[in-house]
Amino acid sequence: MLRAMTASDSTSTTIRLRLLLGQDGTKLGPGKADLLQGIGELGSISAAGRRMGMSYRRAWALVEEMNAGFAAPLVASSRGGAAGGGARLTPEGAAVLARYRALEAEVANAGAEHIAAIAAMLRS
Amino acid sequence: MLRAMTASDSTSTTIRLRLLLGQDGTKLGPGKADLLQGIGELGSISAAGRRMGMSYRRAWALVEEMNAGFAAPLVASSRGGAAGGGARLTPEGAAVLARYRALEAEVANAGAEHIAAIAAMLRS
DNA sequence: AAGCGATATGTTCGAGCAGACATATCGCGC
DNA sequence: GCGCGATATGTCTGCTCGAACATATCGCTT
């Protein structure tokens, strides 16, 4: 997948969460979460994609997928204008991102013991 | 992937865990965990693979990957003999599986609130 | 010694996916 | 109105992964 390493990779063992939501099968994992965060910070789908080393094509497809899966769109976009356009998180998008981050933190905390036990059995 | 549904799919929203272990990048997710469990229950790589709708080729490759990633092999196999051969979990394999299942349970419990909050925002 | 069933492993073929390339369109500023 | 920069979307192609097929080998049992 060629994901850029983030500065938060302090421990060598990481846990990744992927949610399979509803019976329609919309997925929410680290990629979409990072993308949401990037859009929130940069105000642009293309800028967020660039920062992750992802093509605009793919970033846009992920946004489309998220907007289709939830009752309200998570990202609102506009074309044209001074900056050419832009995108920002809707309140629902910000809420989903916050919940996902909180979930990550809670999970890392609750599972730390088991994770450490498994990591201790690794090859040298 | 064509995964068989398990009877434990009571809620429509499920969470999947994938561990990225060490800097060598050995992965441990639901597929390998289910395979370990199948081998433990059925005493055979091929039988475990069959039950999951997975080719023996692939099941064997996953076992190989796990055995290579951990300090001690998780699965011990034998060729020939009365039943043609077989495989069983080593104590380390059983320990890793138990830890992973415990991690799943703990995570599902700890994250239930955030997961429910996200699921509540889904389309219809 | 012959057969059985499972492990072990090479090879080949197809589908699906990700990336690259190409446009169309929009709305503000100059 | 012309250009800019970003959204929006179609198309194509290469690559990777998995499925399928094919064998070899092993050790007990009959």
Side-chain angles (χ1 to χ4, degrees), chain A residues 99 103 106-107, chain B residues 15 105-119:
Chain A
R99 286 288 188 178
L103 177 63
E106 201 139 356
V107 158
Chain B
I15 181 169
E106 201 137 357
V107 158
N109 190 293
E113 182 190 332
H114 293 306
I115 293 174
I118 295 178

Side-chain angles (χ1 to χ4, degrees), chain B residues 44-46 56-57 60 77 83-84:
Chain B
S44 158
I45 297 176
S46 69
Y56 171 79
R57 191 76 171 76
W60 175 84
S77 59

